[in-house]
């Protein structure tokens, strides 16, 4: 497969408060964004960032913060998660999500009725002896007091239309619009969360990188720990063990976050013909984003306020 040229840029994000939050709403090669979708994305980023930062400001944990931010985006139809997520080849929404905090993780794939897949993943972490549940039964939603909705609740007219177009073209739509968040709290703990519908027209049972620890999601405390949420073409992120590769570059090579992200995208994703982006937070609260696609939808705090970007 031909190597993809790294066309993205990366940003160094400073620690301005006793905590830091960085969120993303997906990376991809987006040719056009309707004014309505742009509005949804900007609003979603702003509201999600505010929700996550409020938790951190109030002394909440990094895990609480990343879940709060992701829950807001799961309610926003502009992103590929929660309501408005992509449809699989059978026109069903199958969500994947993961969280990681203090060295432990929880993940679900093929979730079809949890209103907030990220909270389902968190419940796997906090309420089960396991770390990853595939096609989890709905009975767990009741057992764990999680909101259950009909699968139709997640299906939007726009996604149904998109599925028809993709199926008529006998294609797999390039994935984008996954959401994620990384944070460090006042106690210095790092957390990451990622939530997605995956790839439009995917085969039933297809799992992307988002719920796979070390591929699309990662968080480790300690002097060289990092928290990572990835987005992009999941198959290549799995094959490149992207999130753990970034952690390894930071821990064993001492690379700065942006260089670790950029190098990993180039060597592990670009060389496989894939694209996408990562948000990374270090244990000192500095953060970075890197991507090799035209868009990296994200938000973080700067000296002059919250910066949201769609490009
Ligand atoms: N990485 C996700 C997946 O392949 C999709 C995305 O990031 O948009 O399932």
């Amino acid at each position: 497969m031909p190597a993809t040229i790294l066309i993205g840029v990366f940003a160094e994000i400073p620690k301005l408060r006793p905590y830091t939050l960085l969120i993303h709403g997906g990376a991809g090669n987006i040719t056009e964004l309707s004014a309505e979708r742009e509005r949804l994305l900007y609003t979603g980023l702003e509201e999600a960032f505010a929700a996550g930062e409020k938790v951190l400001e109030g002394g909440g944990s990094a895990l609480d913060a990343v879940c709060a931010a992701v829950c807001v985006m799961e309610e926003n139809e502009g992103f590929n998660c929660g309501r408005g997520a992509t449809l699989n080849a059978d026109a069903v929404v199958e969500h994947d999500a993961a969280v990681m905090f203090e060295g432990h993780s929880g993940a679900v794939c093929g979730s079809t009725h949890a209103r907030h897949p990220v909270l389902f993943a968190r419940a796997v972490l906090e309420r089960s002896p396991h770390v990853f549940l595939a096609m989890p039964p709905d009975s767990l939603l009741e057992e764990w007091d999680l909101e259950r909705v009909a699968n139709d609740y997640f299906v939007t007219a726009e996604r149904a239309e998109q599925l028809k177009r993709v199926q008529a073209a006998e294609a797999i739509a390039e994935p984008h619009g996954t959401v994620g968040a990384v944070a460090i709290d006042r106690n210095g703990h790092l957390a990451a969360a990622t939530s997605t519908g995956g790839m439009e027209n995917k085969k039933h049972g297809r799992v992307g990188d988002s719920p796979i620890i070390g591929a699309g999601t990662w968080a480790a405390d300690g002097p060289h720990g990092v928290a990572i949420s990835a987005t992009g073409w999941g198959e290549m992120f799995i094959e490149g063990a992207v999130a753990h590769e970034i952690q390894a570059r930071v821990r064993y090579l001492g690379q700065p976050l942006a260089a670790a992200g950029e190098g990993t995208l180039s060597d592990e994703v670009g060389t496989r013909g894939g694209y996408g982006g990562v948000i990374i937070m270090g244990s000192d609260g500095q953060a970075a984003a890197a991507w090799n696609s035209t868009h990296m939808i994200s938000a973080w705090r700067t000296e002059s306020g919250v910066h949201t970007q769609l490009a």
Side-chain angles (χ1 to χ4, degrees), residues 132-148:
F132 197 173
L133 293 183
M135 315 276 164
D138 290 340
S139 55
L140 282 177
L141 296 175
E142 200 176 328
E143 189 180 326
W144 292 342
D145 294 323
L146 296 168
E147 192 171 350
R148 181 187 193 284

Side-chain angles (χ1 to χ4, degrees), residues 24 26-27 80 96 175-179 196-199 202 206-211 230-235 237:
H24 74 79
N80 173 13
D96 298 343
H176 59 78
T178 288
V179 308
T196 187
M199 188 183 271
K202 65 185 179 183
R206 178 264 185 188
V207 183
D209 60 309
S210 309
T231 171
W233 203 304
E235 278 69 7
F237 279 71

Side-chain angles (χ1 to χ4, degrees), residues 103-284:
H104 296 289
S105 59
V108 290
C109 66
S111 166
T112 48
H113 293 101
R115 180 167 183 158
H116 288 292
V118 72
L119 298 183
F120 208 176
R122 181 177 181 160
V124 174
L125 163 66
E126 294 180 331
R127 306 193 62 171
S128 85
H130 311 303
V131 298
F132 197 173
L133 293 183
M135 315 276 164
D138 290 340
S139 55
L140 282 177
L141 296 175
E142 200 176 328
E143 189 180 326
W144 292 342
D145 294 323
L146 296 168
E147 192 171 350
R148 181 187 193 284
V149 290
N151 194 261
D152 281 355
Y153 164 81
F154 302 116
V155 180
T156 61
E158 195 177 338
R159 289 295 186 194
E161 198 47 49
Q162 186 186 31
L163 180 66
K164 276 191 205 146
R165 282 199 311 273
V166 170
Q167 290 188 330
E170 295 183 11
I172 294 178
E174 292 194 356
H176 59 78
T178 288
V179 308
V182 290
I184 188 163
D185 58 32
R186 288 175 184 273
N187 296 320
H189 295 300
L190 287 160
T194 313
S195 180
T196 187
M199 188 183 271
E200 182 86 14
N201 198 30
K202 65 185 179 183
K203 289 200 184 308
H204 164 61
R206 178 264 185 188
V207 183
D209 60 309
S210 309
I212 296 183
I213 297 305
T217 306
W218 176 260
D221 283 340
H224 303 292
V226 291
I228 294 161
S229 174
T231 171
W233 203 304
E235 278 69 7
M236 292 78 167
F237 279 71
I238 295 171
E239 290 173 338
V242 163
H244 195 269
E245 172 70 12
I246 294 171
Q247 168 68 90
R249 284 174 186 240
V250 172
R251 187 177 279 159
Y252 305 123
L253 296 180
Q255 287 188 350
L257 303 185
E262 187 188 15
T264 300
L265 285 176
S266 180
D267 294 353
E268 302 297 336
V269 179
T271 52
R272 290 183 166 88
Y275 66 83
V278 288
I279 55 172
I280 315 166
M281 183 153 305
S283 48
D284 58 0

Side-chain angles (χ1 to χ4, degrees), residues 32-112:
E32 59 171 79
L33 272 178
S34 67
E36 170 58 6
R37 179 159 288 249
E38 264 196 29
R39 191 192 60 76
L40 279 173
L41 294 176
Y42 273 126
T43 313
L45 287 174
E46 277 162 16
E47 291 176 356
F49 194 88
E53 225 187 26
K54 190 171 166 206
V55 169
L56 293 167
E57 172 63 28
S61 74
L63 180 62
D64 290 337
V66 292
C67 287
V70 168
C71 277
V72 170
M73 292 189 277
E74 286 178 340
E75 292 287 300
N76 181 310
E77 292 178 20
F79 300 101
N80 173 13
C81 64
R83 180 168 161 73
T86 51
L87 305 181
N88 72 9
D90 306 323
V92 173
V93 172
E94 285 182 324
H95 293 121
D96 298 343
V99 297
M100 193 160 180
F101 181 59
E102 294 187 313
H104 296 289
S105 59
V108 290
C109 66
S111 166
T112 48

